[in-house]
Amino acid sequence: MSVLEIWLGILQGFRVTALVTLYGLVFAIPFGLIFGVAQHLTTGPARFVVTSVIEFWRSSAVIILLFVFYYALPLAGLALSAMTVSAMVLGLNIGGYASQAVRAGLQALDRGQKEAGHALGLSRSTILLRIELPQALVAMSPTFINQLIQLVKATSLVSLVTLTDMTFRAKEISQIEYDPVPIYTSLLLAYFIVCYPVALFGRWVERRINPAREARRAV
Amino acid sequence: MTQTDDKPAVQIASLNKWYGAFHVLKEVNLTIPSGSRVVICGPSGSGKSTLIRCLNGLEAYQQGTVTLGTIELGANARETVLARRQTGMVFQSFNLFPHLTVLSNCTLALRRVLRMPRNEAESLARHFLEKVRIPEQATKYPAQLSGGQQQRVAIARALCMNPRLMLFDEPTSALDPEMVKEVLDVMTGLAHEGMTMICVTHEMGFAREVADQVVFMDQGSIVEQASPVAFFSTPNHPRARSFLNTLLH
């Protein structure tokens, strides 16, 4: 089998890798935002509940969650598709990490920012949406790009719950050809080729969304 | 202004505040008539910043009342927000919003609180930027300005909301000496226009020139309250005398 054929074979799994990543983001972004903000704003029992949910998703092994949700939940009468389970488990796991970046970004802001907002008569929600979050999210954008890259790489686990992603295709080809070295080397490169542009995109985003810092640099 | 003409701008009655066991404000009573300029001074830790922060609800207090015009702070949440809108605050560390341009810093509250259309808000903001003498900086970001310019933006931002009362919490303490004057000049201008002002500051020259009342605090209490002439020439309280001595030497 030529290298080109190996590449084309692996590429057949790209669509699933990309889809799991995209659907994963559909879970990760709202979860990270809402729970990060909630952890920042709540106190007492409410904060305990929020923290518990975050810790469940952040501190569980993804591979085991994939198995449990895909193979065990149907026994309880809840059968989710492999794609749904994968997107949800990977997305909420990464979302759990992202929530901590959101919270840390909010907590790192100077107290004076919130006070200035209050002194101007702004509501708490306006302060959050117009003053705190824009600064926190920009400051944390490198972390979010990190987590996006981690999500792309983590999708290789979905081959364990029957999805035909790039890793699954590589395994298939390897079993047929019995020549793992070029195949897995190609797979390694394939993930790099997907992830590196994400990193470049991240740098571009960082420059775009932070006009204040750019302006300062230009002085 | 009609509402506050007969009522004092600020009335503080038996105000007490504790941080845990530490008694920061002890039985503070102070009445500030509309249109007057009060300078609060005192050694650090005397509670002056805490007091001024109580006046727009940035600090909670445990006993006593603060009444701004006709609104008693803390009586209900909506009125407290209303009182804040009528009170401008300038902080020692400026607290401009670094992710917004100078102009947007000034228009944010106009647009989000007063629901003013963008054009109207921007022309109002430009008016006040002109007043603090930095109209040409409108499209820059705070980090591109000097400290003195940033503080003047902060003053313009507060003035945009058409406050009845301006609070200044050590507005020049974070500034390089050569920038203190430009900020004090703007404040002096405001005073001459009849703005009610309460200012925590160590700028005794400003107090002498602009204030009509000097309030001296020590260990959480107001220990002396007098006209600047009386305060600077014949301070009564020994703590006030030693405070003035250290400032003048």
Side-chain angles (χ1 to χ4, degrees):
Chain A
M1 202 179 204
S2 74
V3 172
L4 181 68
E5 282 168 318
I6 292 173
W7 271 97
L8 290 175
I10 288 175
L11 217 59
Q12 285 169 346
F14 175 75
R15 201 178 135 268
V16 168
T17 297
L19 277 181
V20 175
T21 304
L22 283 181
Y23 293 150
L25 285 177
V26 171
F27 285 92
I29 293 172
F31 183 80
L33 261 181
I34 293 170
F35 278 79
V37 168
Q39 209 181 19
H40 176 62
L41 294 181
T42 52
T43 51
R47 186 161 208 256
F48 178 77
V49 171
V50 169
T51 307
S52 305
V53 175
I54 292 171
E55 289 307 335
F56 171 77
W57 287 107
R58 195 164 66 124
S59 309
S60 312
V62 171
I63 191 163
I64 299 168
L65 285 178
L66 280 174
F67 282 138
V68 168
F69 277 80
Y70 188 67
Y71 294 110
L73 279 189
L75 300 179
L78 184 65
L80 300 171
S81 75
M83 183 58 88
T84 308
V85 167
S86 303
M88 182 178 78
V89 168
L90 294 176
L92 294 182
N93 178 253
I94 291 289
Y97 293 130
S99 73
Q100 296 310 289
V102 170
R103 178 184 58 80
L106 289 169
Q107 287 179 344
L109 285 178
D110 189 278
R111 192 177 62 145
Q113 292 290 305
K114 192 172 90 179
E115 289 181 351
H118 278 311
L120 286 168
L122 299 174
S123 65
R124 189 67 190 87
S125 59
T126 306
I127 292 174
L128 181 71
L129 292 174
R130 300 276 163 183
I131 299 172
E132 294 179 298
L133 270 180
Q135 294 184 62
L137 296 184
V138 167
M140 288 294 149
S141 61
T143 307
F144 297 133
I145 294 298
N146 254 345
Q147 283 157 356
L148 173 56
I149 293 170
Q150 275 178 334
L151 176 61
V152 174
K153 293 182 300 184
T155 59
S156 61
L157 292 172
V158 303
S159 57
L160 297 168
V161 288
T162 74
L163 289 182
T164 317
D165 74 325
M166 297 199 298
T167 304
F168 190 87
R169 284 295 296 142
K171 262 192 279 188
E172 275 184 332
I173 299 165
S174 163
Q175 273 156 11
I176 297 164
E177 297 293 321
Y178 213 71
D179 188 11
V181 174
I183 295 166
Y184 280 104
T185 307
S186 303
L187 180 62
L188 193 70
L189 275 171
Y191 276 104
F192 179 78
I193 289 169
V194 176
C195 289
Y196 187 62
V198 175
L200 292 180
F201 168 73
R203 266 172 233 164
W204 178 79
V205 168
E206 256 181 78
R207 280 197 303 272
R208 277 299 297 272
I209 59 182
N210 200 345
R213 196 171 60 191
E214 286 307 302
R216 195 157 61 231
R217 199 177 287 166
V219 172
Chain B
M1 283 294 189
T2 48
Q3 185 196 359
T4 44
D5 278 350
D6 42 350
K7 290 257 181 192
V10 181
Q11 188 139 32
I12 304 167
S14 304
L15 189 66
N16 281 281
K17 177 178 171 63
W18 288 264
Y19 285 123
F22 181 55
H23 201 170
V24 238
L25 294 176
K26 299 172 187 159
E27 277 297 302
V28 173
N29 290 288
L30 187 62
T31 300
I32 297 168
S34 202
S36 66
R37 281 104 39 204
V38 177
V39 162
I40 302 175
C41 58
S44 72
S46 58
K48 49 197 195 308
S49 278
T50 307
L51 175 62
I52 203 171
R53 288 163 56 84
C54 283
L55 301 187
N56 68 349
L58 287 182
E59 295 281 351
Y61 42 86
Q62 285 79 31
Q63 278 177 19
T65 56
V66 174
T67 313
L68 301 181
T70 56
I71 301 173
E72 186 184 324
L73 278 189
N76 74 58
R78 181 180 295 181
E79 293 223 312
T80 303
V81 171
L82 211 65
R84 275 177 170 162
R85 281 184 206 171
Q86 298 173 1
T87 307
M89 176 108 181
V90 175
F91 299 87
Q92 177 176 356
S93 48
F94 326 139
N95 294 349
L96 294 178
F97 307 128
H99 60 302
L100 299 177
T101 62
V102 164
L103 195 63
S104 302
N105 263 277
C106 294
T107 56
L108 181 65
L110 291 174
R111 302 199 55 211
R112 301 292 149 198
V113 177
L114 304 182
R115 304 272 157 214
M116 196 179 272
R118 178 195 287 264
N119 287 344
E120 213 178 308
E122 289 190 348
S123 71
L124 192 65
R126 284 182 194 280
H127 166 75
F128 283 109
L129 287 173
E130 201 140 323
K131 198 180 164 105
V132 299
R133 296 178 215 128
I134 36 173
E136 72 284 357
Q137 311 287 359
T139 56
K140 291 195 180 164
Y141 287 92
Q144 294 171 280
L145 307 185
S146 72
Q149 290 173 323
Q150 290 190 50
Q151 193 61 298
R152 286 186 283 150
V153 172
I155 293 173
R157 177 175 73 175
L159 290 176
C160 279
M161 294 297 281
N162 190 25
R164 294 201 169 109
L165 166 70
M166 285 287 286
L167 306 175
F168 295 85
D169 185 6
E170 302 206 30
T172 57
S173 299
L175 295 175
D176 290 335
E178 70 265 34
M179 290 169 186
V180 169
K181 186 174 178 298
E182 64 190 54
V183 171
L184 290 181
D185 284 348
V186 167
M187 291 168 61
T188 307
L190 269 183
H192 290 324
E193 288 171 21
M195 174 66 77
T196 311
M197 295 166 65
I198 303 175
C199 184
V200 173
T201 186
H202 295 296
E203 293 295 333
M204 291 301 121
F206 174 78
R208 213 186 284 261
E209 185 188 347
V210 172
D212 46 26
Q213 257 188 91
V214 177
V215 170
F216 179 77
M217 290 184 73
D218 187 38
Q219 293 175 5
S221 306
I222 294 180
V223 296
E224 185 149 355
Q225 186 179 352
S227 73
V229 176
F231 179 74
F232 289 112
S233 56
T234 52
N236 283 323
H237 198 276
R239 284 290 295 147
R241 276 200 292 274
S242 72
F243 176 76
L244 284 174
N245 274 333
T246 49
L247 274 192
L248 298 175
H249 294 113

